[in-house]
């Protein structure tokens, strides 16, 4: 700014609006300005995303090469933390359990969701809203409440065992989450209960988008309900199935709260999952390096599995 | 996705000076406002109120954090420029903060106030460590206890009567006989919160009664060459294992939280509950005269009682501007005035000689505690032995309960964790 003379940026250049429309310079300027304005709109989201997702992710990656307790000066550890993730049976076992949970959090709910979609679309619109609400309810409840409730349902004198006793299966009753062999399965079934409704709601909305003419044409050609479901509904749901697969797989591998309140990894480590050990390593044991390495491996695993799902579901 | 956002920027720098030069025990003229970070309430709030009532010139601002979050946040806040002056002691966090020089060395104050005479020795031991915070009960003092706790056995007198147990067991043999009587009467002998700490606390109590006090302390405090694979620990573990096999410890314990176990005991569904004095308030309110307290008995009646205990303790930041005032607060914790507050909030008083007017269950707990304290029989909890020890103790006991691990494997896993920390 020059000395003395007051600047009047607002009053000086601006071309009169009457001749602005056709001129080259103002238009280009406007385009640049519109571009800048676009970025301005993006800025809040970018700042939040960068600050709370990108930056922590990069920090985690850099921590994973350190030997650090979070307080004292860190020392370089190289790939030592990664070696530990791969070789420590505890950590490797947790990743294995996470993969088992995919069956219960992803495969089974998608199958159940498809089944319910098939049933609900076949019987027409009556009562659909009711069923949709009921099945979707688990998604709305906080997982901590879900976990605590299921811990009671599964307990020695809980509802699950009472039901088994009532139908004459006394021999099967046990404290499910305390059982060395059944705990992981019991935990997985809670995931199935949570995720099935989500899958169903996704599939229902997808099924409603399918052109009814396709169903009519298939029916005229003599296709029964099963056939129409297989050859009309199912292909039409490709995108929804892929999305459901992605969401539920992430939920399985990154599950923490549900495990934390139901079994906390027990009995005797049978239900350890990676996120639980990340938490323990970082906050109980003060081993930020190993915790970060496990988190990075888990993230890579999620990205790899999600990529596979997307690839399989791609339109031919 | 999964990221550790709680980690601050990599702050470098070497440990800073944490020993005060000149100390004063007179704070009557000091106008000061301090901040105190803590998780446990009661007793913190009440103790601070008691102190500031005595010293109106001092103002203490409280910063409470939930226990589960406290461990995470205290390391960060104590290393920040705006560190609280006083912080509730947390073994996990202190293992990093002490070597980093963020915690005031209290030795000069301990000498000036003669804390070795006013605080029971056993309660100061876990708060003393070497500069690296790898070995405890040695080196310098870094905190002072504000309220004490003790582990023992609560029993339901009505259920005992029902099962034909004439009186509270005085030896381990009697105790086991009582378990068997309950089992035969189709009553659950014990409520066990194996999902959390309730399982290993039974093992802990057994070891208190069977083991050598000093061997155990050496191990928990990290003395060189210490081991948990001793004959006594093997006997304690085998006893627990025997109880599992006899059906005294139900397999469902592995999915029972400490709260659920306590609720079961309150409802009269079991005979014994092994836990600490912290449960006494609730148990007395719910059960009235039907509940009693005893220390886990040893093999002989006249054996000197040993019990695990801990404390809500407070450390001082080395960044504080008012170390004298902070130290005066710590000194207050061993006073008769504080003892009243400690008892009223359900804890054991630091001044074990303080006259008490409690009755009923609280009196029984207090009596049990003072017999242990007078015999210097207070020993630390086993999870203190290494930062990751609790993650070996809980799953390890679960392994014993579900029959997937042997007593030898359990002790070996504890020792392996100990060695990986003390290498």
């Amino acid at each position: 700014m020059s000395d003395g003379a007051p600047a009047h940026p607002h009053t000086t250049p601006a071309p009169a609006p009457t001749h602005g429309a056709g001129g080259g310079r103002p238009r280009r300027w406007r385009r640049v300005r519109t571009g800048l304005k676009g970025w301005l709109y993006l800025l809040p989201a970018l700042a939040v995303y960068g600050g709370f997702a990108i930056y922590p992710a990069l920090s985690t990656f850099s921590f994973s090469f350190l030997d650090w307790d979070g307080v004292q000066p860190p020392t370089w550890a190289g790939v030592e933390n990664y070696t530990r993730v791969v070789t420590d049976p505890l950590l490797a076992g947790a990743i294995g359990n996470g993969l088992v949970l995919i069956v219960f959090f992803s495969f089974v709910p998608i199958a159940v969701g498809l089944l319910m979609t098939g049933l609900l679309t076949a019987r027409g619109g009556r009562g659909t809203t009711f069923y949709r609400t009921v099945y979707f309810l688990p998604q709305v409840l906080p997982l901590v409440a879900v976990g605590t409730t299921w811990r009671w349902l599964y307990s020695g004198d809980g509802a699950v065992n009472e039901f088994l006793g009532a139908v004459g299966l006394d021999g099967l009753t046990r404290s499910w989450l305390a059982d060395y062999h059944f705990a992981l399965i019991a935990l997985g079934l809670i995931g199935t209960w949570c995720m099935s409704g989500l899958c169903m709601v996704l599939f229902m909305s997808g099924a409603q988008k399918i052109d009814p003419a396709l169903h009519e044409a298939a029916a005229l050609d003599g296709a029964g309900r099963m056939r129409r479901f297989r050859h009309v509904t199912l292909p039409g749901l490709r995108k929804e199935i892929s999305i459901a697969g992605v969401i539920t797989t992430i939920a399985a591998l990154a599950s923490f709260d549900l495990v934390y309140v139901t079994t906390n990894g027990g009995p005797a480590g049978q239900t350890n999952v990676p996120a639980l050990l990340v938490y323990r390593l970082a906050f109980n044991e003060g081993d930020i390096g190993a915790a970060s390495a496990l988190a990075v491996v888990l993230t890579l695993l999620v990205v790899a599995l999600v990529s596979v799902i997307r690839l399989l579901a791609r339109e031919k | 996705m999964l990221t550790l956002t709680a980690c601050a920027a990599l702050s470098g720098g070497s440990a800073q000076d944490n020993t005060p030069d000149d100390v004063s025990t007179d704070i009557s003229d000091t106008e000061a406002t301090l901040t105190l970070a803590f998780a446990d309430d009661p007793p913190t709030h009440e103790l601070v109120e008691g102190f500031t009532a005595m010293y109106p010139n001092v103002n203490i601002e409280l910063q409470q954090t939930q226990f589960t979050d406290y461990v995470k946040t205290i390391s960060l806040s104590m290393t920040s420029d705006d560190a609280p002056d006083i912080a509730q002691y947390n073994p996990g966090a202190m293992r990093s903060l002490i070597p980093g020089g963020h915690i005031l060395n209290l030795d000069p104050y301990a000498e000036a106030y003669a804390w070795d005479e006013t605080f029971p020795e056993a309660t100061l031991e876990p708060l003393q460590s070497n500069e690296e915070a790898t070995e405890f009960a040695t080196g310098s003092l870094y905190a002072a206890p504000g309220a004490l706790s003790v582990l023992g056995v609560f029993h339901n007198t009505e259920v005992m009567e029902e099962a034909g147990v004439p009186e509270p067991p005085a030896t381990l043999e009697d105790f086991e006989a009582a378990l068997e009587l309950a089992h035969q009467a189709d009553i659950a002998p014990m409520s066990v919160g194996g999902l959390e700490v309730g399982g290993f606390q039974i093992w802990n109590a057994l070891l208190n009664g069977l083991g050598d006090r000093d061997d155990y302390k050496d191990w928990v405090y990290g003395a060189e060459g210490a081991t948990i694979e001793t004959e006594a620990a093997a006997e304690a573990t085998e006893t627990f294992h025997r109880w599992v096999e006899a059906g005294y410890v139900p397999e469902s314990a592995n999915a029972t939280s400490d709260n659920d176990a306590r609720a079961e005991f309150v409802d009269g569904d079991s005979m014994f509950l092994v836990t600490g004095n912290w449960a006494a308030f609730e148990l007395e309110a719910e059960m009235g005269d039907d509940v009693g307290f005893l220390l886990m008995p040893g093999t002989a009646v006249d054996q000197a009682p040993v019990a695990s205990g801990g404390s809500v303790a407070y450390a001082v930041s080395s960044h504080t501007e008012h170390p004298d005032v902070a130290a005066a607060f710590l000194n207050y914790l061993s006073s008769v005035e504080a003892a009243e507050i400690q008892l009223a909030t359900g804890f054991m008083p630091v001044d074990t000689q303080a006259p008490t007017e409690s009755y009923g269950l609280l009196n029984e707990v207090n009596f049990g505690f003072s017999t242990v304290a007078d015999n210097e029989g207070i020993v630390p909890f086993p999870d203190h032995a290494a930062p990751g020890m609790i993650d070996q103790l809980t799953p390890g006991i679960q392994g014993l309960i579900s029959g997937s691990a042997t007593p030898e494997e359990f002790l070996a896993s504890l020792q392996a964790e100990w060695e990986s920390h003390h290498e």
Side-chain angles (χ1 to χ4, degrees):
Chain A
M1 193 181 284
S2 57
D3 288 6
H8 296 287
H10 296 293
T11 53
T12 27
T18 43
H19 93 299
R25 206 182 76 95
R27 182 186 281 171
R28 199 182 310 135
W29 173 232
R30 197 176 298 157
R31 207 181 300 145
V32 173
R33 235 182 21 188
T34 323
L36 281 178
K37 220 195 261 171
W39 281 102
L40 205 64
Y41 281 122
L42 269 181
L43 195 64
L46 261 181
V48 170
Y49 189 65
F52 292 99
I54 307 279
Y55 172 72
L58 291 177
S59 307
T60 306
F61 184 68
S62 65
F63 293 159
S64 69
F65 296 101
L66 301 176
D67 185 7
W68 191 37
D69 66 359
V71 175
Q72 296 179 76
T75 54
W76 182 254
V79 294
E80 201 180 290
N81 291 322
Y82 287 95
T83 321
R84 189 174 159 200
V85 170
V86 184
T87 53
D88 189 333
L90 188 74
L91 304 188
I95 292 177
N97 288 343
L99 293 175
V100 171
L101 285 185
I102 292 180
V103 174
F104 293 97
F105 277 63
S106 190
F107 293 2
V108 182
I110 288 176
V112 173
L114 284 174
L115 180 74
M116 290 196 288
T117 307
L119 292 175
L120 284 175
T121 47
R123 66 189 290 280
R126 279 184 54 215
T128 306
T129 318
F130 171 75
Y131 285 110
R132 205 163 43 191
T133 311
V134 168
Y135 289 125
F136 194 67
L137 209 59
Q139 278 292 316
V140 186
L141 300 171
L143 275 177
V144 173
V146 168
T148 311
T149 312
W150 274 94
R151 210 175 65 218
W152 292 333
L153 291 178
Y154 273 139
S155 70
D157 46 8
V160 173
N161 284 329
E162 265 176 36
F163 171 77
L164 287 175
V167 297
L169 292 170
D170 298 289
L172 288 180
T173 57
R174 66 193 70 225
S175 179
W176 294 91
L177 289 172
D179 190 281
Y180 191 72
H181 302 287
F182 286 99
L184 188 63
I185 297 171
L187 187 69
L189 287 173
I190 306 177
T192 305
W193 180 77
C194 287
M195 293 296 164
S196 294
L198 174 76
C199 291
M200 186 202 72
V201 168
L202 275 173
F203 300 158
M204 286 293 286
S205 72
Q208 278 160 2
K209 279 192 316 203
I210 297 170
D211 191 349
L214 285 174
H215 278 285
E216 270 172 41
L220 283 176
D221 288 342
R225 269 188 190 164
M226 278 303 289
R227 264 205 111 149
R228 287 207 308 266
F229 182 75
R230 250 187 80 194
H231 295 287
V232 180
T233 313
L234 212 51
L237 289 178
R238 182 181 280 273
K239 276 203 183 103
E240 283 76 14
I241 294 175
S242 141
I243 291 186
V246 169
I247 295 177
T248 52
T249 304
I250 294 174
L253 284 174
S255 58
F256 172 78
D257 27 18
L258 193 62
V259 183
Y260 188 72
V261 294
T262 49
T263 61
N264 198 9
Q270 286 293 90
T271 58
N272 277 339
V273 289
L276 190 70
L277 298 187
V278 169
Y279 173 84
R280 278 189 196 161
L281 282 170
F283 298 120
N284 282 7
E285 301 182 29
D287 192 345
I288 307 287
S292 300
L294 184 58
V296 168
V297 168
L298 182 58
T299 308
L300 291 179
L301 197 65
V302 169
V303 170
L305 283 170
V306 165
S307 306
V308 169
I309 294 171
R310 301 295 287 175
L311 208 67
L312 286 175
R314 208 166 48 180
E315 302 268 2
K316 297 270 165 25
Chain B
M1 207 161 295
L2 278 165
T3 43
L4 296 165
T5 48
C7 315
L10 302 179
S11 49
S14 55
Q16 60 172 47
D17 181 32
N18 62 347
T19 313
D21 295 328
D22 47 353
V23 303
S24 163
T25 56
D26 178 19
I27 62 154
S28 49
D29 295 331
T30 318
E31 291 280 338
T33 297
L34 279 71
T35 50
L36 185 151
F38 71 106
D40 285 341
D41 205 16
T44 306
H45 201 130
E46 291 81 354
L47 287 169
V48 165
E49 261 175 19
F51 176 71
T52 47
M54 253 169 139
Y55 294 97
N57 50 322
V58 176
N59 182 22
I60 296 184
E61 284 172 6
L62 295 169
Q63 294 175 350
Q64 187 174 15
T65 314
Q66 277 225 330
F67 179 75
T68 41
D69 297 326
Y70 185 74
V71 188
K72 292 172 239 169
T73 55
I74 194 63
S75 309
L76 293 176
S77 69
M78 289 301 274
T79 53
S80 74
D81 294 334
D82 196 24
D85 301 284
I86 305 172
Q88 187 181 332
Y89 185 89
N90 175 279
M94 295 302 157
R95 282 194 160 93
S96 303
L97 289 169
I98 291 171
H102 300 287
I103 304 297
L104 196 72
N105 181 333
L106 296 172
D107 282 350
Y109 288 107
E111 202 184 323
Y113 282 111
W115 282 346
D116 55 340
E117 285 163 29
T118 52
F119 288 92
E121 192 192 338
T123 65
L124 293 180
E125 280 174 355
L127 309 172
Q128 289 167 328
S129 82
N130 58 1
E131 271 175 51
E132 297 80 31
T134 50
E135 194 178 339
F136 294 80
T138 176
S140 306
L141 184 70
Y142 289 100
L148 308 180
S149 55
V150 64
L151 183 69
V153 187
F154 290 93
H155 54 88
N156 186 325
T157 46
E158 224 172 53
V159 172
M160 273 178 26
E161 212 169 294
E162 205 179 311
V165 179
E167 54 182 13
T171 65
L172 194 57
E173 208 177 317
D174 292 350
F175 191 83
E176 205 162 333
L179 294 176
E180 178 58 29
L181 280 173
H183 189 60
Q184 277 169 12
D186 222 12
I187 298 165
M190 291 190 277
S191 284
V192 185
L195 178 64
E196 295 170 270
V197 299
F200 76 75
Q201 278 178 341
I202 297 178
W203 173 80
N204 181 190
L206 280 169
L207 186 53
N208 288 159
L210 291 168
D212 180 80
R213 190 186 66 185
D214 294 327
D215 283 354
Y216 173 75
K217 273 197 196 176
D218 279 351
W219 183 72
V220 177
Y221 289 141
E224 212 183 321
T227 178
I228 193 69
E229 293 178 277
T230 59
E231 257 176 55
E235 200 187 338
T237 315
E238 271 152 22
T239 305
F240 182 80
H241 193 231
R242 192 167 67 234
W243 291 359
V244 170
E245 290 191 325
Y248 306 154
V249 179
E251 196 184 333
S252 63
N254 278 344
T256 306
S257 71
D258 287 317
N259 263 333
D260 291 348
R262 201 187 296 182
E264 206 179 281
F265 178 74
V266 165
D267 288 345
D269 292 339
S270 61
M271 191 189 280
F272 295 119
L273 175 71
V274 176
T275 184
N277 62 289
W278 51 86
F281 252 137
E282 188 196 323
L283 294 183
E284 181 162 52
E286 300 271 349
M287 303 169 72
D289 293 338
D290 293 341
V291 58
F293 180 85
L294 57 119
L295 298 165
M296 179 64 91
T299 40
V301 186
D302 53 356
Q303 185 178 325
V306 174
S308 279
S311 64
V312 177
Y314 303 92
V316 180
S317 165
S318 56
H319 309 275
T320 181
E321 279 173 32
H322 302 288
D324 289 340
V325 179
F329 173 68
L330 301 192
N331 184 57
Y332 163 79
L333 301 173
S334 68
S335 66
V336 182
E337 292 85 356
E340 248 172 64
I341 295 173
Q342 285 147 1
L343 272 168
T345 49
F347 288 87
M348 300 295 104
V350 172
D351 179 359
T352 52
Q353 309 300 319
T356 60
E357 281 178 35
S358 56
Y359 46 87
L361 181 64
L362 290 176
N363 188 47
E364 278 180 45
V365 177
N366 194 23
F367 174 76
F369 172 75
S370 29
T371 44
V372 183
D374 292 346
N375 284 292
E376 293 185 2
I378 308 172
V379 295
F381 288 110
D383 48 321
H384 193 100
M389 195 55 79
I390 193 160
D391 297 328
Q392 297 296 331
L393 284 163
T394 301
I397 288 292
Q398 288 175 347
L400 290 176
I401 294 175
S402 63
S404 60
T406 64
E408 294 77 34
E409 283 166 349
F410 169 67
L411 291 180
S413 74
L414 300 188
Q415 188 59 19
E417 178 68 25
W418 190 93
E419 272 160 24
S420 78
H421 179 67
H422 291 100
E423 61 196 355

